[in-house]
């Protein structure tokens, strides 16, 4: 270029001189010498230029060599593509990037080294280059020889020669991206760890102690602005001497930890105890010290207090009369106190080596575990439970448990505290009470007796079903009311029963039991009066004289009362008809006696006077008639005697029974002698009684004892006191009777024998029974067939002239 420009300049100059020479006044010679000079100058110039050119060429050769190295070993890959996008040239770095030899790549299609996605990116990219004919860049993945991906940055330049070529530089950006990501990650980590940490954090230069960074927590803790803090030195904050710091560090080293206990000064001058956790960190190639600072001033104060309270707690725990157990969340026993050890009779060591499931009653285990699970799951904070433990000797211990979950400051459950009260005694009583309560309740519910509880004012507290039924009311309507509100109550005579005379009110007023009060109570369901027999019992609290409650029990005696009434009426009716009958019997027997006597007398007269004139048959008939009449007389006499027992009697007087028997024996003298009967007596008492009737009683009994006897009669009259009675006995060694006839023989006209066998009317014993009953006693027989009989009768001890007292 130099040559050209200079050459043309010189030529222009030579041509100018030549044209001037032909036209000007100057002599040609002069012009020529000037030109030669010029030429010489030019030659020298040319020589110089040549030299320069040679030097440039050499430089160029050098540069070419340099460029080649540069091209081949540049840190980026160079690819030259032709118009068909075949690789025409590639530098070593480019081939290396794809893991091929240069020769393998030359003339191959560039897109061979891309996946589908990357090809699309590449085409787009190339289109842009072609369109704009300016350099463009893109990022895509190239496939390396070993199949792995190369994340690459491409810059493509269009080279317009005969045809359009492309020069592509390829840079491996995989590491860059990774690094970027790592940076982002570490930045994030650093940010979240350091900047937004709730703990105070400082970054310090280890040698100088300069604070290079601090987080907002640290700034607010120390009371400085963040900008101030990062200008300070750690010695502005740490008040310990170098020696003390050194000692702390030694201590940390020996304990193999990174914790130091320092004293830091805040902006306001206050000194705080801090726990510093330190470690080294490399940031931007610089070794730094990071410190995490915890204010433990309060903790130190609390720790002291805590130690004290812990000691106190341990004392309380151990001395507590209530069993205390602490287990961890896996139910491993951590602590047991003396009371619990005593309760189960295991030593503390034994308990610590056992799980509570081992000494829990199997029936109570499931519910216990269920609640513990709820506790551990945080669904409940505590629970109470009654359960059974097995004592070491196998006995059951009933316990009331209060179980609490104990949490740490972070509200995380740490262990389970159980307080255990021995309730075995209480449980025993409770169970016994339950049984008795159940018994009482069953009785209360099912008994036929009505039971009503009333308070001190007579208001009804409870009513049992029987009471509801008897009263014809339900307990809802009765509760809270006084006893008489609901119905009219009456006495047996039909007069009103005032409320204040009700047995329960009397019992409350007097504090005494009231018994057997008969009341008529109107039953609204039956719409009639029912009769009840009421007892009222006052109830007292210990050491109180006034009853606080009363309960009444009553029976439905409506039926009894009705029956009694009927009985009374029947009795009255019976008495009346009986006395009518007696009257009739008396009148009849009395009035019959006369005509009968006439019949007997005249028949006898007939027999006497017409004896010879009548035939044998007639005499026999007359005999029958006489017999009949006499027998009739006997009957009527006895009947009269029977009716006279009640209608014609005397007052009771004191009678010496020994004398009485003497008289009787005198009356019976003839038959006694005839039968050679032997009669013996106990010493006999003096008793108020009807003399004639007593005589008749003994006459009948002794007479029968002689009559119904087939041996020499041995008769004994005994007497003894039993309860409220004299019991007399008249025993014999006679024929005796079968037990099935014991009752019958006391009925009127009832006999066990014919007239031919034993004479008699069958009224004797009926008279005896009537006499005994009139004296308030009873009569019966004990006998054995063929061996003898004893007739017993009683007379009450307490008799006076009117009979029974
Ligand atoms: P009676 O002697 O007139 O027949 P009782 O009324 O005295 O009437 O006696 C009724 C019956 O009791 C007698 O018929 C007799 O069978 C029996 N009986 C009474 N006393 C005795 C006795 N001591 N031993 C055996 N049987 C007796």
């Amino acid at each position: 270029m130099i040559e050209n420009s200079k050459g043309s300049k010189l030529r222009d100059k030579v041509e100018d001189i030549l044209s001037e020479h032909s036209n000007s006044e100057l002599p040609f010679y002069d012009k020529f010498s000037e030109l030669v000079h010029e030429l010489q100058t030019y030659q020298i110039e040319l020589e110089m230029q040549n030299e320069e050119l040679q030097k440039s060429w050499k430089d160029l050769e050098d540069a070419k060599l340099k460029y080649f190295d540069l091209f081949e070993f540049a840190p980026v890959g160079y690819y030259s593509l032709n118009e068909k996008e075949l690789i025409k040239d590639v530098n070593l770095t480019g081939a290396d990037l794809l893991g091929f030899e240069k020769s393998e790549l030359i003339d191959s299609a560039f897109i061979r080294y891309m996946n589908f996605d990357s090809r699309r990116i590449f085409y787009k990219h190339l289109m842009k280059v072609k369109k704009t004919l300016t350099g463009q860049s893109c990022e895509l993945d190239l496939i390396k020889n070993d199949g792995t991906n190369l994340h690459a940055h491409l810059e493509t330049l269009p080279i317009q020669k005969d045809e359009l070529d492309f020069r592509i530089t390829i840079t491996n950006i995989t590491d860059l991206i990774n690094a970027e990501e790592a940076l982002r990650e570490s930045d994030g980590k650093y940010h979240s760890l350091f900047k937004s940490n709730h703990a105070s954090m400082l970054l310090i230069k280890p040698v100088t102690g300069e604070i290079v960074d601090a987080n907002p927590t640290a700034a607010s803790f120390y009371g400085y602005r963040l900008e101030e803090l990062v200008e300070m030195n750690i010695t502005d904050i740490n008040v310990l001497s170098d020696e003390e710091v050194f000692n702390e560090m030694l201590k940390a080293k020996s304990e193999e930890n990174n914790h130091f206990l320092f004293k830091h000064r805040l902006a306001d001058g206050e000194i705080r105890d801090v726990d510093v956790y330190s470690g080294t960190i490399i940031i931007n190639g610089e070794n730094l010290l990071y410190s995490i600072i915890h204010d433990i001033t309060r903790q130190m104060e609390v720790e002291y207090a805590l130690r004290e309270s812990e000691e106190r707690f341990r004392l309380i725990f151990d001395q507590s009369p209530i069993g205390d157990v602490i287990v961890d969340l896996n139910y491993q026993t951590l602590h047991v106190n003396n009371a619990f050890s005593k309760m189960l009779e295991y030593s503390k060591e034994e308990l610590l080596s056992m799980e509570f499931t081992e000494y829990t009653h199997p029936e109570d285990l499931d519910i216990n575990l269920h609640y513990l699970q709820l506790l551990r799951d945080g669904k409940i904070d505590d629970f109470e439970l009654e359960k059974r433990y097995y004592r070491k000797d196998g006995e059951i211990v009933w316990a009331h448990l209060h179980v609490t979950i104990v949490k740490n400051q972070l509200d995380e459950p740490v262990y389970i505290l159980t307080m255990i009260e021995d309730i075995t005694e209480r449980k025993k009583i409770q169970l016994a009470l339950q049984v008795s309560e159940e018994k009482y309740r069953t009785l209360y519910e099912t008994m036929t007796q009505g039971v009503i509880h009333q308070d001190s004012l007579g208001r009804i507290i409870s009513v049992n079903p029987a009471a509801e039924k008897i009263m014809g009311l339900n307990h809802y309507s009765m509760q809270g009311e006084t006893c008489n509100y609901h119905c009219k109550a009456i006495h047996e005579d039909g007069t009103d029963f005032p409320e204040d005379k009700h047995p329960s009110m009397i019992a409350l007023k007097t504090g005494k039991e009231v018994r057997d009060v008969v009341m008529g109570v109107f039953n609204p369901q039956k719409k009639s009066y029912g009769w009840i027999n009421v007892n009222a019992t006052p109830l007292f609290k210990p050491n109180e004289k006034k009853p606080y409650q009363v309960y009444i029990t009553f029976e439905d005696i409506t039926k009894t009362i009705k029956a009694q009434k009927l009985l009374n009426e029947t009795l009255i009716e019976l008495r009346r008809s009986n006395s009518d009958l007696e009257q009739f019997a008396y009148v009849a027997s009395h009035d019959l006696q006369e005509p009968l006597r006439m019949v007997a007398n005249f028949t006898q007269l007939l027999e006497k006077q017409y004896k010879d004139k009548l035939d044998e048959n007639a005499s026999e008939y007359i005999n029958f008639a006489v017999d009949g009449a006499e027998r009739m007389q006997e009957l009527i006499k006895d009947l009269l005697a029977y009716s006279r027992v009640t209608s014609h009697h005397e007052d009771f007087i004191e009678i010496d029974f020994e004398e009485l028997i003497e008289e009787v024996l005198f009356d019976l003298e003839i038959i006694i002698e005839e039968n050679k009967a032997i009669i013996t007596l106990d010493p006999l008492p003096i008793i108020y009684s009807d003399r004639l009737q007593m005589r008749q009683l003994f006459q009948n009994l002794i007479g029968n004892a002689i009559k119904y006897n087939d041996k020499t009669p041995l008769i004994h009259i005994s007497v003894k006191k039993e309860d409220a009675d004299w019991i007399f006995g008249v025993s014999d060694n006679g024929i005796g009777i079968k037990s099935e006839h014991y009752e019958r023989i006391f009925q009127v006209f009832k006999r066990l024998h014919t007239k031919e066998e034993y004479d008699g009317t069958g009224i004797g014993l009926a008279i005896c029974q009537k006499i005994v009953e009139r004296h308030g006693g009873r009569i019966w027989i004990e006998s054995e067939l063929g061996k003898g009989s004893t007739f017993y009768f009683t007379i009450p001890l307490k008799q006076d002239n009117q009979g029974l007292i």
Side-chain angles (χ1 to χ4, degrees):
M1 294 299 277
I2 299 165
E3 175 198 17
N4 278 348
S5 68
K6 274 198 175 168
S8 70
K9 263 189 197 165
L10 278 174
R11 200 169 296 122
D12 289 347
K13 217 168 183 179
V14 171
E15 276 176 19
D16 280 350
I17 293 164
L18 282 175
S19 68
E20 273 177 25
H21 180 73
S22 59
N23 300 324
S24 74
E25 310 271 300
L26 268 172
F28 181 69
Y29 175 73
D30 288 347
K31 298 268 179 190
F32 186 71
S33 61
E34 201 177 323
L35 190 65
V36 170
H37 175 75
E38 277 277 327
L39 278 172
Q40 279 172 338
T41 317
Y42 178 55
Q43 194 182 345
I44 295 164
E45 261 180 27
L46 272 179
E47 277 167 12
M48 279 170 66
Q49 268 180 10
N50 200 21
E51 207 172 294
E52 220 172 284
L53 269 173
Q54 269 187 6
K55 197 173 167 260
S56 302
W57 181 82
K58 205 175 167 278
D59 281 353
L60 204 67
E61 278 297 298
D62 278 357
K64 198 178 157 193
L65 270 175
K66 259 189 217 158
Y67 164 72
F68 180 78
D69 278 356
L70 207 66
F71 175 72
E72 291 293 2
F73 301 108
V76 290
Y78 290 120
Y79 278 77
S80 295
L81 305 190
N82 66 8
E83 204 169 17
K84 288 176 187 153
E85 294 151 28
L86 295 176
I87 302 170
K88 284 295 164 194
D89 197 4
V90 56
N91 70 347
L92 273 176
T93 314
D96 254 11
L97 280 173
L98 291 188
F100 287 98
E101 291 295 324
K102 269 174 80 166
S103 56
E104 290 175 298
L105 292 167
I106 305 289
D107 284 336
S108 66
F110 187 54
I111 55 160
R112 228 185 85 188
Y113 309 100
M114 294 170 200
N115 63 19
F116 182 71
D117 287 339
S118 292
R119 282 179 191 181
R120 283 181 45 187
I121 300 170
F122 182 68
Y123 276 129
K124 252 185 164 174
H125 164 74
L126 220 51
M127 286 290 282
K128 219 171 164 189
V129 174
K130 284 177 187 170
K131 225 174 172 180
T132 58
L133 288 177
T134 56
Q136 300 289 334
S137 64
C138 74
E139 279 179 19
L140 48 71
D141 282 330
L142 293 174
I143 302 168
K144 285 167 63 176
N145 196 10
D146 61 5
T148 57
N149 273 356
L150 173 79
H151 206 69
H153 178 88
L154 269 61
E155 294 231 13
T156 307
L157 271 177
I159 308 285
Q160 185 78 53
K161 281 198 250 156
D162 302 340
E163 52 183 31
L164 188 65
D165 284 357
F166 304 101
R167 178 77 40 81
I168 303 174
T169 46
I170 297 175
T171 326
N172 180 358
I173 55 167
T174 313
D175 289 345
L176 185 72
I177 286 187
N178 285 348
E180 256 174 17
E181 240 165 59
L183 190 69
R184 254 201 310 280
E185 222 173 272
S186 103
D187 248 13
K189 274 187 201 157
Y190 174 72
H191 188 82
S192 62
L193 244 166
F194 191 79
K195 288 290 179 194
S196 52
N197 207 304
H198 292 297
S200 305
M201 289 173 109
L202 297 175
L203 270 185
I204 302 160
K205 283 192 181 172
V207 184
T208 60
E210 282 169 67
I211 297 170
V212 289
D213 201 356
N215 70 352
T217 319
S220 91
F221 169 61
Y222 289 112
Y224 294 107
R225 280 185 291 115
L226 209 52
E227 309 84 78
E228 285 177 323
L229 203 56
V230 294
E231 290 300 316
M232 290 166 69
N233 195 291
I234 191 66
T235 49
D236 299 333
I237 288 173
N238 201 340
V239 297
L240 293 189
S241 65
D242 289 348
E243 197 185 339
E244 284 169 317
V245 171
F246 182 70
N247 282 342
E248 258 307 307
M249 288 192 169
L250 271 186
K251 204 169 110 196
K253 205 172 165 192
S254 71
E255 285 172 14
E256 289 183 353
N257 67 31
N258 295 336
H259 284 273
F260 310 95
L261 291 179
F262 290 144
K263 284 186 188 294
H264 281 187
R265 183 189 293 114
L266 308 185
D268 61 8
E270 193 187 335
I271 308 286
R272 309 294 293 246
D273 286 300
V274 288
D275 172 270
V276 177
Y277 178 85
S278 257
T280 50
I281 186 171
I282 301 169
I283 293 177
N284 296 334
E286 193 178 1
N287 251 331
L288 294 174
L289 210 60
Y290 69 88
S291 293
I292 305 167
I293 300 112
H294 285 286
D295 181 5
I296 53 164
T297 315
R298 178 93 190 101
Q299 192 181 323
M300 297 278 270
E301 286 167 12
V302 170
E303 225 165 71
Y304 178 72
L306 208 66
R307 258 201 302 279
E308 239 193 0
S309 92
E310 219 173 53
E311 195 47 45
R312 233 177 297 145
F313 166 72
R314 191 169 303 283
L315 245 146
I316 294 169
F317 184 81
D318 270 342
Q319 305 304 321
S320 161
I322 282 181
D324 291 320
V325 176
I326 296 177
V327 298
D328 67 13
L329 298 180
N330 297 317
Y331 309 143
Q332 289 295 320
T333 314
L334 303 177
H335 296 289
V336 290
N337 73 344
N338 296 339
F340 189 62
S341 145
K342 213 168 134 196
M343 201 183 292
L344 297 195
E345 294 181 355
Y346 282 109
S347 70
K348 277 180 164 186
E349 291 67 35
E350 282 173 318
L351 287 171
L352 284 171
S353 69
M354 292 166 88
E355 284 200 14
F356 80 93
T357 47
E358 292 174 54
Y359 45 75
T360 292
H361 193 290
E363 281 174 26
D364 299 337
L365 193 57
D366 281 352
I367 183 81
N368 199 165
L369 288 171
H370 169 73
Y371 278 123
L372 283 171
Q373 192 58 47
L374 292 180
L375 204 67
R376 290 201 316 178
D377 292 348
K379 290 184 178 145
I380 50 172
D381 278 342
D382 62 349
F383 68 87
E384 292 190 32
L385 178 75
E386 279 189 7
K387 66 177 258 191
R388 286 161 289 177
Y389 286 118
Y390 278 125
R391 215 162 61 189
K392 194 174 180 181
D393 62 5
E395 282 295 306
I396 283 177
V397 175
W398 269 99
H400 177 270
L401 272 61
H402 185 179
V403 188
T404 328
I405 193 109
V406 181
K407 295 177 178 175
N408 64 13
Q409 286 169 333
L410 301 175
D411 209 30
E412 295 158 342
V414 278
Y415 51 73
I416 298 165
L417 169 66
T418 308
M419 285 170 272
I420 304 141
E421 192 188 346
D422 185 344
I423 54 161
T424 313
E425 278 311 304
R426 195 204 303 170
K427 204 72 194 174
K428 269 187 198 161
I429 294 169
Q430 206 174 320
L431 284 178
L433 205 70
Q434 236 169 32
V435 172
S436 101
E437 174 68 17
E438 228 158 76
K439 272 195 220 156
Y440 165 74
R441 183 98 344 240
T442 323
L443 195 72
Y444 181 76
E445 299 287 338
T446 56
M447 67 198 290
T448 51
Q449 260 197 339
V451 182
I452 296 180
H453 261 95
Q454 292 165 247
D455 67 11
S456 58
L457 298 173
R459 288 176 304 211
I460 292 170
I461 301 167
S462 72
V463 179
N464 79 338
E468 286 182 300
K469 196 174 161 213
I470 296 170
M471 311 281 277
L473 291 163
N474 69 49
H475 63 275
Y476 297 113
S477 65
M478 290 160 82
Q479 256 155 21
E481 303 289 343
T482 51
C483 48
N484 257 0
Y485 86 99
H486 43 75
C487 55
K488 218 171 126 55
I490 51 169
H491 285 289
E492 269 180 287
D493 59 8
T495 55
D496 273 356
F497 207 124
E499 182 166 333
D500 60 342
K501 293 285 178 311
H502 191 285
S504 60
M505 296 315 244
I506 301 281
L508 282 172
K509 207 188 291 173
T510 60
K512 284 184 185 142
E513 217 177 334
V514 181
R515 301 201 64 84
D516 293 324
V517 178
V518 175
M519 295 172 74
V521 188
F522 189 76
N523 184 321
Q525 273 176 15
K526 294 183 181 163
K527 298 199 169 37
S528 63
Y529 279 94
W531 291 92
I532 55 175
N533 183 3
V534 187
N535 291 339
T537 310
L539 297 175
F540 298 91
K541 281 186 183 162
N543 305 323
E544 277 185 22
K545 286 202 174 112
K546 230 175 117 45
Y548 79 106
Q549 266 181 20
V550 61
Y551 72 88
I552 59 167
T553 55
F554 51 93
E555 282 166 307
D556 186 354
I557 54 161
T558 313
K559 277 187 189 150
T560 323
I561 289 272
K562 274 185 184 161
Q564 211 171 18
K565 225 171 146 194
L566 197 71
L567 203 69
N568 278 344
E569 283 166 7
T570 319
L571 207 66
I572 292 166
E573 180 57 28
L574 211 64
R575 277 205 191 112
R576 196 184 52 75
S577 86
N578 214 26
S579 87
D580 282 357
L581 266 172
E582 273 170 3
Q583 193 59 30
F584 167 77
Y586 176 75
V587 172
S589 45
H590 186 267
D591 291 356
L592 273 174
Q593 260 185 335
E594 199 43 42
L596 208 60
R597 199 167 23 245
M598 274 174 66
V599 173
N601 286 345
F602 281 109
T603 319
Q604 278 164 352
L605 210 62
L606 203 65
E607 193 201 7
K608 226 188 258 173
Q609 292 193 5
Y610 295 90
K611 207 176 180 179
D612 306 331
K613 292 173 189 149
L614 294 173
D615 62 12
E616 246 181 60
N617 272 348
S619 302
E620 201 181 347
Y621 293 158
I622 286 168
N623 272 344
F624 282 150
V626 173
D627 248 23
E630 277 176 353
R631 203 168 146 62
M632 189 83 157
Q633 268 182 314
E634 277 294 304
L635 268 173
I636 284 169
K637 188 174 100 286
D638 283 354
L639 207 56
L640 205 60
Y642 179 75
S643 65
R644 271 186 167 157
V645 175
T646 44
S647 57
H648 292 71
H649 51 74
E650 291 172 9
D651 282 350
F652 288 3
I653 50 165
E654 270 188 342
I655 295 165
D656 181 342
F657 268 56
E658 282 185 16
E659 280 177 20
L660 184 96
I661 298 296
E662 232 171 79
E663 286 171 31
V664 172
L665 295 181
F666 183 73
D667 289 344
L668 295 174
E669 197 180 8
I670 298 167
I671 59 162
I672 290 173
E673 273 178 14
E674 273 174 12
N675 291 283
K676 299 196 169 44
I678 299 167
I679 296 150
T680 52
L681 331 164
D682 281 352
L684 298 178
I686 295 167
I687 304 173
Y688 269 101
S689 52
D690 183 324
R691 186 179 189 86
L692 274 179
Q693 287 182 353
M694 281 298 139
R695 251 174 94 165
Q696 183 151 22
L697 174 67
F698 278 104
Q699 239 173 42
N700 286 358
L701 293 177
I702 295 168
N704 279 351
I706 296 168
K707 181 162 63 167
Y708 297 104
N709 208 318
D710 45 8
K711 304 174 211 88
T712 305
L714 296 173
I715 299 159
H716 182 73
I717 299 168
S718 63
V719 69
K720 61 176 176 182
K721 270 187 196 172
E722 202 173 272
D723 299 331
D725 293 314
W726 291 106
I727 300 181
F728 283 91
V730 179
S731 52
D732 63 50
N733 56 343
I735 58 168
I737 61 168
K738 286 184 187 168
S739 58
E740 64 243 41
H741 301 308
Y742 282 181
E743 301 280 320
R744 233 175 132 233
I745 54 171
F746 291 100
Q747 291 171 12
V748 181
F749 301 136
K750 288 284 160 32
R751 310 194 66 235
L752 299 181
H753 306 280
T754 60
K755 187 165 71 68
E756 284 68 34
E757 287 171 316
Y758 294 100
D759 191 24
T761 56
I763 291 177
L765 285 178
I767 291 172
C768 289
Q769 189 177 36
K770 225 171 177 190
I771 291 170
V772 171
E773 280 174 3
R774 198 190 147 230
H775 281 78
R778 58 195 179 87
I779 186 167
W780 70 98
I781 178 178
E782 283 174 14
S783 177
E784 206 177 325
L785 200 62
K787 288 200 172 160
S789 317
T790 305
F791 282 86
Y792 291 103
F793 66 89
T794 64
I795 294 179
L797 290 175
K798 289 185 176 172
Q799 299 264 22
D800 65 11
N801 55 350
Q802 291 305 308
L804 186 67
I805 297 168

Coordinates of all heavy atoms in Angstrom, one line a residue, residues 704-705 707-708 732 735-737 745 750-753 759-766 789 791, ligand 1:
N704 N -114.3 -89.9 131.1 CA -113.9 -90.5 129.9 C -112.7 -91.4 130.1 O -112.6 -92.5 129.5 CB -113.6 -89.4 128.8 CG -114.8 -88.9 128.1 OD1 -115.9 -89.4 128.3 ND2 -114.7 -87.8 127.4
A705 N -111.8 -90.9 130.9 CA -110.5 -91.7 131.1 C -110.8 -93.0 131.8 O -110.1 -94.0 131.5 CB -109.6 -90.9 132.0
K707 N -114.0 -94.4 131.5 CA -114.9 -95.1 130.6 C -114.2 -95.8 129.4 O -114.4 -96.9 129.1 CB -115.9 -94.1 130.0 CG -117.0 -94.7 129.1 CD -118.2 -93.9 128.9 CE -118.0 -92.6 128.3 NZ -119.2 -91.9 127.8
Y708 N -113.3 -95.0 128.7 CA -112.6 -95.5 127.5 C -111.3 -96.2 127.9 O -110.2 -95.8 127.6 CB -112.4 -94.4 126.5 CG -113.7 -93.8 126.0 CD1 -114.1 -92.6 126.5 CD2 -114.5 -94.5 125.1 CE1 -115.3 -92.0 126.1 CE2 -115.7 -94.0 124.7 CZ -116.1 -92.7 125.2 OH -117.3 -92.2 124.8
D732 N -104.5 -91.0 130.7 CA -104.9 -92.3 131.1 C -104.2 -93.4 130.4 O -103.4 -93.1 129.5 CB -106.4 -92.4 130.8 CG -106.8 -92.3 129.4 OD1 -106.2 -93.0 128.5 OD2 -107.6 -91.4 129.0
I735 N -107.9 -96.8 125.9 CA -107.9 -97.4 124.6 C -107.2 -96.5 123.5 O -106.7 -97.0 122.5 CB -109.3 -97.8 124.1 CG1 -110.2 -96.5 124.0 CG2 -109.9 -98.9 124.9 CD1 -111.5 -96.7 123.3
G736 N -107.1 -95.3 123.8 CA -106.5 -94.3 122.9 C -107.2 -94.1 121.6 O -108.2 -94.9 121.3
I737 N -106.9 -93.1 120.8 CA -107.5 -92.9 119.5 C -106.5 -92.6 118.5 O -105.4 -92.2 118.8 CB -108.6 -91.8 119.6 CG1 -107.9 -90.4 119.9 CG2 -109.7 -92.1 120.5 CD1 -108.8 -89.2 119.7
I745 N -113.4 -85.4 117.7 CA -114.0 -85.8 119.0 C -114.5 -84.6 119.8 O -115.3 -84.8 120.7 CB -113.0 -86.7 119.8 CG1 -111.7 -85.9 120.0 CG2 -112.8 -88.1 119.2 CD1 -110.8 -86.6 121.0
K750 N -120.3 -86.0 118.0 CA -119.3 -86.8 117.2 C -118.7 -87.9 118.2 O -118.1 -87.5 119.2 CB -118.2 -86.0 116.6 CG -118.7 -85.2 115.4 CD -118.9 -86.0 114.2 CE -119.7 -85.5 113.1 NZ -119.8 -84.1 112.9
R751 N -118.9 -89.2 117.9 CA -118.4 -90.2 118.7 C -117.6 -91.2 117.9 O -117.9 -91.3 116.7 CB -119.6 -91.0 119.4 CG -120.6 -90.1 120.1 CD -121.5 -90.9 121.0 NE -120.9 -91.5 122.1 CZ -120.9 -92.8 122.4 NH1 -121.6 -93.6 121.6 NH2 -120.3 -93.2 123.4
L752 N -116.8 -92.0 118.5 CA -116.0 -93.0 117.7 C -116.6 -94.4 117.9 O -116.1 -95.3 117.3 CB -114.5 -92.9 118.1 CG -113.8 -91.6 117.9 CD1 -112.4 -91.7 118.4 CD2 -113.9 -91.1 116.5
H753 N -117.6 -94.5 118.8 CA -118.1 -95.8 119.2 C -119.6 -95.8 119.2 O -120.2 -94.8 119.3 CB -117.6 -96.2 120.6 CG -116.1 -96.1 120.7 ND1 -115.2 -97.1 120.2 CD2 -115.3 -95.1 121.2 CE1 -114.0 -96.7 120.4 NE2 -114.0 -95.5 121.0
D759 N -121.3 -96.3 126.2 CA -122.5 -95.4 126.4 C -122.0 -94.0 126.3 O -120.9 -93.6 126.7 CB -123.1 -95.7 127.8 CG -124.5 -95.1 127.9 OD1 -125.1 -94.8 126.8 OD2 -124.9 -94.7 129.0
G760 N -122.9 -93.1 125.8 CA -122.6 -91.7 125.7 C -123.3 -91.0 124.7 O -123.9 -91.6 123.8
T761 N -123.2 -89.6 124.7 CA -124.0 -88.8 123.8 C -123.1 -88.1 122.8 O -123.6 -87.5 121.8 CB -124.8 -87.7 124.5 OG1 -123.9 -87.0 125.3 CG2 -125.9 -88.3 125.4
G762 N -121.8 -88.0 123.0 CA -120.9 -87.3 122.1 C -120.9 -85.8 122.3 O -120.4 -85.0 121.5
I763 N -121.3 -85.4 123.5 CA -121.3 -83.9 123.8 C -120.3 -83.5 124.8 O -119.8 -82.4 124.9 CB -122.8 -83.4 124.2 CG1 -123.7 -83.6 123.0 CG2 -122.8 -82.0 124.7 CD1 -125.1 -83.2 123.3
G764 N -119.8 -84.5 125.6 CA -118.9 -84.2 126.7 C -117.7 -83.4 126.3 O -117.4 -82.3 126.9
L765 N -117.0 -83.8 125.3 CA -115.8 -83.1 125.0 C -116.1 -81.7 124.4 O -115.3 -80.8 124.5 CB -114.9 -83.9 124.0 CG -114.1 -85.1 124.6 CD1 -113.3 -85.8 123.5 CD2 -113.2 -84.6 125.7
A766 N -117.3 -81.6 123.6 CA -117.7 -80.3 123.1 C -117.9 -79.3 124.2 O -117.5 -78.1 124.1 CB -118.9 -80.5 122.3
S789 N -104.3 -92.0 126.4 CA -104.5 -90.6 125.9 C -104.2 -89.6 127.0 O -104.3 -89.9 128.2 CB -105.9 -90.4 125.4 OG -106.4 -91.4 124.7
F791 N -105.4 -85.6 127.6 CA -106.1 -84.4 127.2 C -105.5 -83.2 127.9 O -105.3 -83.2 129.1 CB -107.6 -84.5 127.6 CG -108.4 -85.3 126.7 CD1 -108.5 -86.7 126.9 CD2 -109.1 -84.8 125.6 CE1 -109.2 -87.5 126.0 CE2 -109.8 -85.6 124.7 CZ -109.8 -87.0 124.9
Ligands
LIG1 P1 -119.2 -89.5 124.9 O1 -118.2 -89.9 125.9 O2 -120.5 -89.2 125.5 O3 -119.3 -90.4 123.7 P2 -117.4 -87.4 124.6 O4 -117.7 -86.1 123.9 O5 -117.1 -87.3 126.0 O6 -118.8 -88.2 124.3 O7 -116.4 -88.1 123.8 C1 -116.4 -88.2 122.4 C2 -115.6 -89.4 122.0 O8 -114.2 -89.3 122.3 C3 -116.0 -90.7 122.7 O9 -117.1 -91.3 122.0 C4 -114.7 -91.5 122.6 O10 -114.7 -92.2 121.4 C5 -113.7 -90.5 122.6 N1 -113.0 -90.4 123.9 C6 -113.3 -89.5 124.9 N2 -112.5 -89.6 125.9 C7 -111.7 -90.6 125.6 C8 -110.6 -91.3 126.3 N3 -110.2 -90.9 127.6 N4 -110.0 -92.3 125.7 C9 -110.4 -92.7 124.5 N5 -111.3 -92.1 123.8 C10 -112.0 -91.1 124.4

